[in-house]
Amino acid sequence: MSTTDIRPTIEAVWRIEAARLVAGLVRMVRDVGLAEELAQDALVAALEAWPEAGIPDNPGAWLMATAKRRAVDRFRRNKMAERKHEEIAYGLEQDQAMTPDPAIALDDHVGDDLLGLIFVACHPVLSAEARVAMALRLLGGLSTDEIARAFLVSEPTMAQRIVRAKRTLAEAGVAFEVPRGEEMTARLASVLEVIYLIFNEGYAATAGDDWMRPRLCEEALRLGRILAELTPDQSEVHGLVALMEIQTSRFAARTGADGEPVLLLDQNRARWDRLLIRRGLAALERGQAIADPPGPYLLQAAIAACHARARTPEETDWVRIAALYAALCEIAPSPVVDLNRAVAVAFAFGPEAGLARLDGLLEEKALKDYHLLPSVRGDLLEKLGRHGEAEAEFLRAADMTRNARERAMLLARAVKASEARMPTLKTERTG
């Protein structure tokens, strides 16, 4: 079999095994950059060996054993290496001698290794952008080019970001270990934030030509599921997984035939993935069973669940959603949450009530350039028959957004609002 024929299989294996491989190597060599290099060396070796020898029965164990051998060779070649390196090489040799079956070596500590790698990649010492890049590179197995394209930056820019992140981790002496107690809680918040950022960027792309980037959502959901397995007693982890499962269930209905956005109330709910909804509701139940009181991710998941349980838009329990947003405002106040609460209030108690709450946010600095504020305001004004004002708001929102699909949708809504007010203008002129 040629390299070309087998390459897709090797890439699939790499996507599955990369995080475990890097995690195990980081535990042994205590250096994220070096661990990634060794993992890449093992991948190159696989690309050279597997076309001739075939895929091993346990490809992950093969990659780990190969990477370990490369680590030993590298440390031995460097005669000026520090004593620390000699000790690491000796430890690797001892590890291999004690566990001759590479499958055993791969699976040993795998839970702690993966969890440790998640906390390293999402360490607060890194900027939010760097944490996202590291998480996708080390845990998602995405190439630098894939990450760059996902976030609409050049590959050299993203490569520099990743290099700086590795350097920052090394200079800060970040320990490869799972934090405990209060530190665990603080660091877990950072981890969840990173996964949430990745998912949101995939769910509603900030910029570019596509309304969604499903690959990012898939990676975020995969990371969330892993984290939930490794930290079963953390309610907010289950809450975030529940939120992502339910949101992902809508993917097939969120775009039209030409890729145009389809808003929630206009979606064909028969196209929602019921399996993902069941998984999300189950994760929500697990989180609620151990949460007292529920945190922000559980509350957001509960809101998503209200939509998921409604077979038609008319069946949506908007009063409960408004109450959940009120609770969310109490524990995680933000202008964006206030904006979403105004939408829920409008559906629960009428567009006038929603608009009154929304208008209280017009002077909010954090929302000054946020296109969803005029977009939502335009929607409420349209419901109230104030079509001229609605048109102006939709045009303002279209000017703010950097997403081409969203801009086209907002411009179309502006045209619709303009057409709706034309009869009114004719009546005024006739009168």
Side-chain angles (χ1 to χ4, degrees):
M1 186 180 295
S2 69
T3 302
T4 303
D5 294 335
I6 202 173
R7 190 179 185 93
T9 304
I10 297 175
E11 290 176 351
V13 169
W14 176 252
R15 183 58 55 81
I16 294 168
E17 300 292 347
R20 295 206 305 168
L21 180 61
V22 173
L25 291 168
V26 171
R27 172 173 55 84
M28 288 178 264
V29 302
R30 303 287 165 174
D31 184 310
V32 171
L34 178 56
E36 193 176 17
E37 287 179 25
L38 292 169
Q40 291 289 337
D41 287 347
L43 174 61
V44 171
L47 288 168
E48 294 172 348
W50 292 0
E52 294 295 328
I55 303 293
D57 292 336
N58 191 332
W62 189 99
L63 290 167
M64 177 63 82
T66 301
K68 282 184 177 182
R69 286 196 297 271
R70 297 298 171 96
V72 172
D73 292 343
R74 181 177 295 220
F75 291 137
R76 282 187 162 173
R77 281 198 304 269
N78 188 356
K79 295 183 179 179
M80 300 299 294
E82 299 175 4
R83 182 171 182 79
K84 171 185 172 184
H85 285 175
E86 295 175 3
E87 292 172 354
I88 291 174
Y90 177 76
L92 286 167
E93 285 183 313
Q94 291 296 106
D95 185 56
Q96 285 182 311
M98 293 175 65
T99 54
D101 182 353
I104 297 174
L106 178 68
D107 292 332
D108 188 33
H109 306 293
V110 69
D112 287 343
D113 285 352
L114 274 175
L115 190 56
L117 187 60
I118 289 173
F119 279 96
V120 167
C122 303
H123 198 286
V125 73
L126 301 174
S127 67
E129 294 84 359
R131 277 180 270 160
V132 167
M134 288 291 283
L136 289 173
R137 179 62 182 263
L138 298 178
L139 297 160
L142 273 65
S143 68
T144 303
D145 177 57
E146 287 176 309
I147 302 170
R149 281 189 281 111
F151 287 92
L152 303 178
V153 299
S154 68
E155 186 174 359
T157 297
M158 184 56 70
Q160 289 174 3
R161 188 175 295 173
I162 292 172
V163 168
R164 283 196 300 269
K166 292 176 184 177
R167 186 184 305 125
T168 299
L169 290 173
E171 292 173 352
V174 172
F176 181 76
E177 60 186 12
V178 179
R180 306 295 177 191
E182 293 183 2
E183 187 184 357
M184 166 73 164
T185 302
R187 292 269 294 281
L188 184 61
S190 173
V191 171
L192 295 178
E193 178 189 14
V194 169
I195 296 174
Y196 191 48
L197 282 172
I198 294 170
F199 184 85
N200 276 348
E201 183 57 32
Y203 192 74
T206 304
D209 297 327
D210 296 318
W211 171 236
M212 297 188 299
R213 298 196 183 104
R215 178 70 175 279
L216 287 179
C217 291
E218 291 167 7
E219 291 301 328
L221 183 52
R222 189 172 70 85
L223 293 177
R225 287 170 177 168
I226 291 172
L227 189 60
E229 290 296 321
L230 298 174
T231 58
D233 59 338
Q234 296 294 325
S235 63
E236 279 293 83
V237 176
H238 295 300
L240 179 56
V241 171
L243 176 61
M244 294 191 294
E245 298 275 15
I246 295 171
Q247 301 286 64
T248 302
S249 74
R250 305 175 192 159
F251 273 15
R254 290 192 77 230
T255 55
D258 297 324
E260 72 278 10
V262 179
L263 300 179
L264 178 62
L265 297 184
D266 298 324
Q267 290 171 16
N268 178 1
R269 300 190 177 206
R271 300 190 69 195
W272 287 3
D273 190 320
R274 306 313 299 183
L275 173 60
L276 287 174
I277 289 174
R278 287 196 296 273
R279 290 183 64 130
L281 295 177
L284 177 59
E285 288 180 9
R286 283 195 295 273
Q288 290 174 331
I290 55 179
D292 187 23
Y297 291 114
L298 274 175
L299 287 174
Q300 290 178 77
I303 291 167
C306 289
H307 293 294
R309 292 188 177 107
R311 293 287 180 164
T312 65
E314 294 73 25
E315 293 176 19
T316 307
D317 189 348
W318 285 106
V319 173
R320 173 164 172 72
I321 290 174
L324 288 167
Y325 270 120
L328 188 58
C329 284
E330 289 292 322
I331 64 171
S334 83
V336 173
V337 173
D338 283 331
L339 174 61
N340 287 321
R341 183 183 181 185
V343 174
V345 167
F347 278 104
F349 306 109
E352 298 93 342
L355 187 62
R357 181 169 288 278
L358 195 69
D359 285 349
L361 302 174
L362 292 178
E363 301 303 318
E364 183 64 57
K365 290 183 179 179
L367 298 178
K368 181 171 66 70
D369 299 316
Y370 191 50
H371 70 282
L372 288 183
L373 177 58
S375 174
V376 169
R377 195 165 187 273
D379 184 67
L380 296 182
L381 289 166
E382 193 173 39
K383 285 181 170 65
L384 291 170
R386 295 159 62 177
H387 301 295
E389 294 171 82
E391 179 188 2
E393 293 290 0
F394 288 136
L395 289 172
R396 192 158 72 91
D399 189 53
M400 286 181 178
T401 184
R402 292 186 291 137
N403 184 280
R405 293 285 187 181
E406 199 163 26
R407 183 181 300 109
M409 177 186 68
L410 289 165
L411 290 174
R413 296 199 70 182
V415 170
K416 182 180 176 183
S418 176
E419 292 172 347
R421 86 184 161 92
M422 293 308 292
T424 303
L425 291 175
K426 289 179 182 178
T427 302
E428 289 175 353
R429 287 170 186 159
T430 303

